[in-house]
Amino acid sequence: MISFLNYSLPFLYFSLVWVYGKAFFTDQPWAKHTKTPFLISTLVFHLLYLAVRTITFQHLPVTTVFEIFTVLAFSVSAAYCIIELRSHRKETGYFILNIAFFFQLVSSFFIKDTSAVPEILQSPFFGAHVSFALIGYAAITIAGAYGLMYLMLYHEMKSSRFGVIYKKLPTLESLERMTMTAIKLIVVILGIAICFGIIWLSRIYQNEYNADPKLIGTVIIWMMYGVLAIASKFFFIRGRKIMIFSILGLLISFFSMTIINLFFSEFHRFY
């Protein structure tokens, strides 16, 4: 059953992106009416997969990088769903859900089934640390997506094309406001994740010093977004520069979660 759910998810996310693309680019009435219910159904299916996986292997699916990817896909999609339902703005879904599809596709192909989890990864502080970190990374993903949409709209307006991107996307001011909201959320949520991570490490190693590369990477990313938020508020950095930095932040975060982890067999390896 886990294998069936696992390999069904990329197909569902691909279909979801296709429906949102139809609604965005061609204004198909059936796509515009079905895309939100389809999104909710996909999230329910994904939640079922995460629940079955947790029950079967007796641990939250957050102990390897490819388990993290499927939870990230769910987190990004769920966060976008909440934004869509609250704001009644459905134009940005195609771009954000493409990212969720990518995360799930990679996860489904490379995830491994394992019930052997070190005891130190079963700590509630570890669970809190990873949970807040994933919410923070979901916000990073959404901020990067909004930054990309901003640049697409900016270049379309600059070239005086005024095509489907200009007609369908929110205004530059709205995209910038949504990006800055996401950046502020990143600073707060990742700050909480780092605090739980430090408490967790101190309980494991007590008086010993241990520099976990993933925690260090999270601290660097948190500091980068903190500087960006401060620069925006006090040095009036606005518009295109903020959007470029939000996209770079997404790329750096992706590097931190993938390339660095190629040197480790597990996401947080301590054995």
Side-chain angles (χ1 to χ4, degrees), residues 145-175:
Y146 282 142
L148 179 60
M149 285 181 261
Y150 181 100
L151 293 181
M152 291 169 59
L153 181 58
Y154 175 85
H155 287 295
E156 181 132 327
M157 294 175 65
K158 191 174 181 181
S159 60
S160 301
R161 285 198 297 263
F162 305 112
V164 65
I165 299 296
Y166 175 79
K167 294 176 182 177
K168 296 294 185 65
L169 286 182
T171 64
L172 292 176
E173 291 78 10
S174 296
L175 288 170

Side-chain angles (χ1 to χ4, degrees), residues 13 29 36 47 80 111 128 135 138 140 152 218:
Y13 274 102
T36 302
L47 187 61
Y80 169 74
I111 197 168
I135 297 172
I140 288 172
M152 291 169 59
T218 303

Side-chain angles (χ1 to χ4, degrees), residues 47 103 200 202 215 258:
L47 187 61
F103 280 135
W200 175 53
S202 66
L215 183 58
T258 54

Side-chain angles (χ1 to χ4, degrees), residues 213-233:
K214 281 70 122 191
L215 183 58
I216 293 173
T218 303
V219 170
I220 292 173
I221 292 167
W222 173 71
M223 292 176 63
M224 181 183 67
Y225 279 99
V227 170
L228 187 59
I230 292 171
S232 172
K233 184 173 180 62

Side-chain angles (χ1 to χ4, degrees), residues 7 35 54 75 117 186 197 204 225 230 264:
Y7 289 112
K35 61 181 182 179
T54 299
S75 300
V117 178
I186 292 164
I204 294 170
Y225 279 99
I230 292 171
F264 299 88

Side-chain angles (χ1 to χ4, degrees), residues 42-64:
T42 301
L43 285 171
V44 171
F45 189 90
H46 199 157
L47 187 61
L48 173 64
Y49 166 70
L50 295 176
V52 170
R53 190 173 190 89
T54 299
I55 294 170
T56 302
F57 298 113
Q58 296 297 303
H59 66 83
L60 292 173
V62 293
T63 57
T64 69

